[in-house]
Amino acid sequence: MSRDRSNKLLPSVSLAAGGAGGAIEAIVTYPLEFVKTRMQLGTVKTRNPIIIISRVVRTEGLPALYRGFPNVVIGSMGKNAVRFVSFDAIKNVWKDPATGELTPIRSLLAGMSAGVMTSMFVVTPTQRIKTAIIDDGGTERRFRSSLQAARVMYQERGLAVFYDGFGSTTLKSISATAVRMGMYNILKDCQHSRSIPPAATTAFVNGAIAGIVTTYATQPFDTLKTRCQSADGASITQAFRRIVANGGLKMFWSGSVTRLGRTILSGGVLFTVYEQIAAVLDPLLAPR
């Protein structure tokens, strides 16, 4: 049974559905995230993801493709839980009471607000550890696990180390969440206005379309974030200069094709799982 759009989705439902969607999305797409990060760090010479994967498996072993994976699963669950709870809460305040819909501008602003929340509480620290582990895997190999890496990093520089790249990560998170959540909400409103019934296939297509737009709109921020969060860390200015020195402005779109494949897949999986779980949990938890 579909949920009436005029009703508010319970925060507990958003939290559970967003967390589950984030976990499944991370499991399915992590190897592509690994390859994209190596490309952005400039530690590989090719842009062919298959060549990179085969080389990593041959030289570092198959488990290397999942270096930093537990941290990313936790981060993805937390990120999407916070993202959906924040977005739904803001959307419920700004939506039209009669139709339950947002204007396109309000959809984007709600997404931006949710992006700030996710960057502050989840994305920056978890992405910092993940990026450092992947970078380290191609150089010194000091880090054996997410927990051990976090401990070493904390001992060397304290809590501040986990917020290296906070500015660039927040820019990326704001832009990505605004575009992704805003575009998805616009597509859902369009679907609703045309009386298209909700289904897993439409949720997947909407999520995939939102993912395509998000990738190319936000790739420079993603590349800048990755460089800021390398094993040694860097400021936004240092990262910008290194990227330009490595190959000019085109380097800001490094790994975009790989990220596009991951984002299309992750967007489809994430929103499909979210909608399906929310549809099951909302009637069960809604007050009678």
Side-chain angles (χ1 to χ4, degrees), residues 188-202:
K188 280 188 66 179
D189 285 345
C190 182
Q191 174 187 329
H192 178 253
S193 65
R194 286 166 173 72
S195 301
I196 300 173
T201 51
T202 53

Side-chain angles (χ1 to χ4, degrees), residues 85-211:
V85 169
S86 302
F87 185 78
D88 281 340
I90 296 165
K91 182 176 72 174
N92 287 332
V93 173
W94 287 352
K95 70 183 181 182
D96 185 314
T99 64
E101 297 177 2
L102 290 176
T103 64
I105 294 297
R106 286 189 173 186
S107 287
L108 294 175
L109 289 174
M112 291 176 68
S113 301
V116 173
M117 299 294 289
T118 57
S119 177
M120 184 180 301
F121 292 107
V122 181
V123 175
T124 300
T126 57
Q127 286 290 308
R128 175 68 177 98
I129 297 170
K130 181 268 298 183
T131 304
I133 289 174
I134 292 176
D135 189 22
D136 176 74
T139 54
E140 299 181 54
R141 302 192 185 184
R142 295 189 303 149
F143 303 144
R144 298 185 300 275
S145 68
S146 298
L147 185 60
Q148 182 261 349
R151 184 166 59 249
V152 170
M153 292 165 66
Y154 177 77
Q155 289 171 347
E156 290 178 349
R157 289 183 47 207
L159 191 62
V161 73
F162 301 115
Y163 282 87
D164 279 346
F166 175 71
S168 57
T169 302
T170 302
L171 283 173
K172 186 252 181 178
S173 187
I174 289 173
S175 58
T177 304
V179 174
R180 196 177 205 184
M181 300 296 288
M183 178 61 66
Y184 183 75
N185 198 67
I186 290 168
L187 291 170
K188 280 188 66 179
D189 285 345
C190 182
Q191 174 187 329
H192 178 253
S193 65
R194 286 166 173 72
S195 301
I196 300 173
T201 51
T202 53
F204 190 95
V205 170
N206 288 346
I209 293 172

Side-chain angles (χ1 to χ4, degrees), residues 15-288:
L15 188 70
I24 294 173
E25 175 258 338
I27 291 168
V28 171
T29 65
Y30 189 75
L32 291 175
E33 173 69 14
F34 178 95
V35 170
K36 180 218 67 170
T37 302
R38 280 281 174 94
M39 287 180 179
Q40 291 176 328
L41 288 168
T43 56
V44 292
K45 302 303 181 183
T46 179
R47 292 292 176 262
N48 187 321
I50 297 181
I51 292 176
I52 296 172
I53 289 173
S54 62
R55 187 175 297 163
V56 168
V57 171
R58 186 174 65 254
T59 60
E60 302 174 42
L62 183 61
L65 288 176
Y66 280 85
R67 285 178 67 89
F69 174 68
N71 186 70
V72 169
V73 171
I74 294 170
S76 186
M77 290 175 66
K79 173 183 70 177
N80 286 296
V82 172
R83 175 185 285 170
F84 278 106
V85 169
S86 302
F87 185 78
D88 281 340
I90 296 165
K91 182 176 72 174
N92 287 332
V93 173
W94 287 352
K95 70 183 181 182
D96 185 314
T99 64
E101 297 177 2
L102 290 176
T103 64
I105 294 297
R106 286 189 173 186
S107 287
L108 294 175
L109 289 174
M112 291 176 68
S113 301
V116 173
M117 299 294 289
T118 57
S119 177
M120 184 180 301
F121 292 107
V122 181
V123 175
T124 300
T126 57
Q127 286 290 308
R128 175 68 177 98
I129 297 170
K130 181 268 298 183
T131 304
I133 289 174
I134 292 176
D135 189 22
D136 176 74
T139 54
E140 299 181 54
R141 302 192 185 184
R142 295 189 303 149
F143 303 144
R144 298 185 300 275
S145 68
S146 298
L147 185 60
Q148 182 261 349
R151 184 166 59 249
V152 170
M153 292 165 66
Y154 177 77
Q155 289 171 347
E156 290 178 349
R157 289 183 47 207
L159 191 62
V161 73
F162 301 115
Y163 282 87
D164 279 346
F166 175 71
S168 57
T169 302
T170 302
L171 283 173
K172 186 252 181 178
S173 187
I174 289 173
S175 58
T177 304
V179 174
R180 196 177 205 184
M181 300 296 288
M183 178 61 66
Y184 183 75
N185 198 67
I186 290 168
L187 291 170
K188 280 188 66 179
D189 285 345
C190 182
Q191 174 187 329
H192 178 253
S193 65
R194 286 166 173 72
S195 301
I196 300 173
T201 51
T202 53
F204 190 95
V205 170
N206 288 346
I209 293 172
I212 294 172
V213 177
T214 300
T215 296
Y216 285 105
T218 66
Q219 185 67 16
F221 295 124
D222 190 63
T223 301
L224 194 62
K225 170 195 72 73
T226 298
R227 288 298 184 97
C228 287
Q229 294 182 327
S230 62
D232 295 332
S235 67
I236 292 180
T237 303
Q238 290 171 330
F240 183 90
R241 289 174 178 169
R242 290 173 187 174
I243 293 168
V244 174
N246 280 162
L249 293 179
K250 67 179 182 180
M251 283 297 294
F252 282 98
W253 276 268
S254 180
S256 58
V257 174
T258 302
R259 184 179 174 225
L260 177 62
R262 177 184 179 274
T263 305
I264 292 173
L265 182 59
S266 70
V269 170
L270 173 63
F271 287 111
T272 301
V273 173
Y274 176 82
E275 293 287 351
Q276 295 300 307
I277 292 180
V280 172
L281 292 180
D282 196 43
L284 295 177
L285 299 179
R288 291 177 171 79

